[in-house]
Amino acid sequence: MSLKAFRMGWRAVCGLLLAGVLTGCSCGKPWHRSNDAAPVDAGIDFIRVGEQILVSLTDMSAPPGPIEQRVREDGRVTLCFNEEFQAAGRRVADLQEDIRKRYLNSYFQRLTVSVRIEGRVINVGGYVRSPGRYDYQGEMTVLDAIKVAGDFNEFAKRSCVRITRSTGQEVIANCKKALKDPDYDPPLYPGDDVHVPQKSWWLGMVLLRI
């Protein structure tokens, strides 16, 4: 077989492989605000089992120091005076109010309660400039996360960014559309994984140049 015939045959094979790659890169329907079905427990204000919370009791004489507690498997935490509170599955504001009502008058005449959830992160990987784990900053979107990770690199496929929720739910973001229309920019929740895939045409160029 001549070298020319070999090259022609190889390019034909590569064409078939590339067609398969392109076919297999279908992303599915991108996320849009109008059809969002985010899980209820993914909201930024909901407390989960295993999370670390910091409770501060202030606005009184000689306030105690901040109390750091990890939410137990039963969903509860134990605070001052051995008082227990249900924390998991509740909003931060609701837990704050529950603590305030329990302690006010019974233990303190004046009281301000602050609850903060510690150590919430998101993961950004794939074809971004600085992949890694980043602090969840609250009210974040996919474009916010990409920016925190140094932006897309030149190999990134911006139209097919995959978000995997902590619940296992998967969402596809078309970041090209999101740059023009924020209704295509999905919100992120603590524990989400963001993965930016590679452009398929780079693989095609590699195959055809071999």
Side-chain angles (χ1 to χ4, degrees):
M1 180 186 293
S2 68
L3 180 61
K4 182 177 180 180
F6 174 79
R7 285 178 175 173
M8 289 180 64
W10 172 249
R11 288 185 177 180
V13 170
C14 288
L16 292 173
L17 289 172
L18 180 57
V21 168
L22 292 174
T23 303
C25 285
S26 176
C27 295
K29 188 175 181 180
W31 181 93
H32 190 271
R33 193 172 307 280
S34 63
N35 57 23
D36 184 24
V40 174
D41 66 350
I44 61 173
D45 287 333
F46 280 89
I47 303 168
R48 304 186 185 98
V49 167
E51 288 193 308
Q52 194 88 2
I53 63 172
L54 189 68
V55 181
S56 299
L57 307 179
T58 58
D59 200 22
M60 86 247 326
S61 59
I67 306 162
E68 199 165 13
Q69 285 274 306
R70 187 170 298 279
V71 182
R72 301 191 301 264
E73 288 294 325
D74 62 2
R76 301 176 73 80
V77 293
T78 302
L79 303 179
C80 296
F81 308 108
N82 210 33
E83 292 281 358
E84 285 195 351
F85 297 86
Q86 178 65 33
R90 304 189 65 194
R91 292 182 182 275
V92 167
D94 293 337
L95 178 58
Q96 288 176 167
E97 185 61 20
D98 191 9
I99 295 170
R100 184 176 180 278
K101 286 180 177 178
R102 183 91 61 89
Y103 285 134
L104 197 60
N105 297 323
S106 298
Y107 297 99
F108 307 107
Q109 295 302 310
R110 295 178 59 188
L111 178 64
T112 299
V113 180
S114 172
V115 175
R116 189 177 73 194
I117 303 170
E118 302 278 277
R120 287 188 157 182
V121 297
I122 56 170
N123 298 292
V124 186
Y127 291 84
V128 291
R129 299 193 184 280
S130 300
R133 177 174 290 189
Y134 295 93
D135 289 337
Y136 180 76
Q137 300 171 2
E139 302 289 334
M140 291 183 77
T141 67
V142 170
L143 288 181
D144 292 331
I146 299 298
K147 189 179 297 183
V148 168
D151 213 340
F152 297 102
N153 67 26
E154 61 270 27
F155 304 106
K157 185 174 183 178
R158 305 184 184 206
S159 61
C160 195
V161 177
R162 187 176 302 275
I163 303 101
T164 304
R165 306 287 192 202
S166 59
T167 59
Q169 177 195 17
E170 288 194 345
V171 175
I172 299 299
N174 187 328
C175 289
K176 283 186 174 181
K177 290 185 176 180
L179 286 168
K180 300 176 181 178
D181 183 352
D183 282 347
Y184 283 93
D185 191 11
L188 291 184
Y189 303 112
D192 282 356
D193 284 298
V194 178
H195 179 75
V196 179
Q198 184 183 28
K199 290 178 181 177
S200 55
W201 63 268
W202 282 98
L203 177 58
M205 288 186 66
V206 171
L207 288 171
L208 292 174
R209 293 181 65 180
I210 294 176

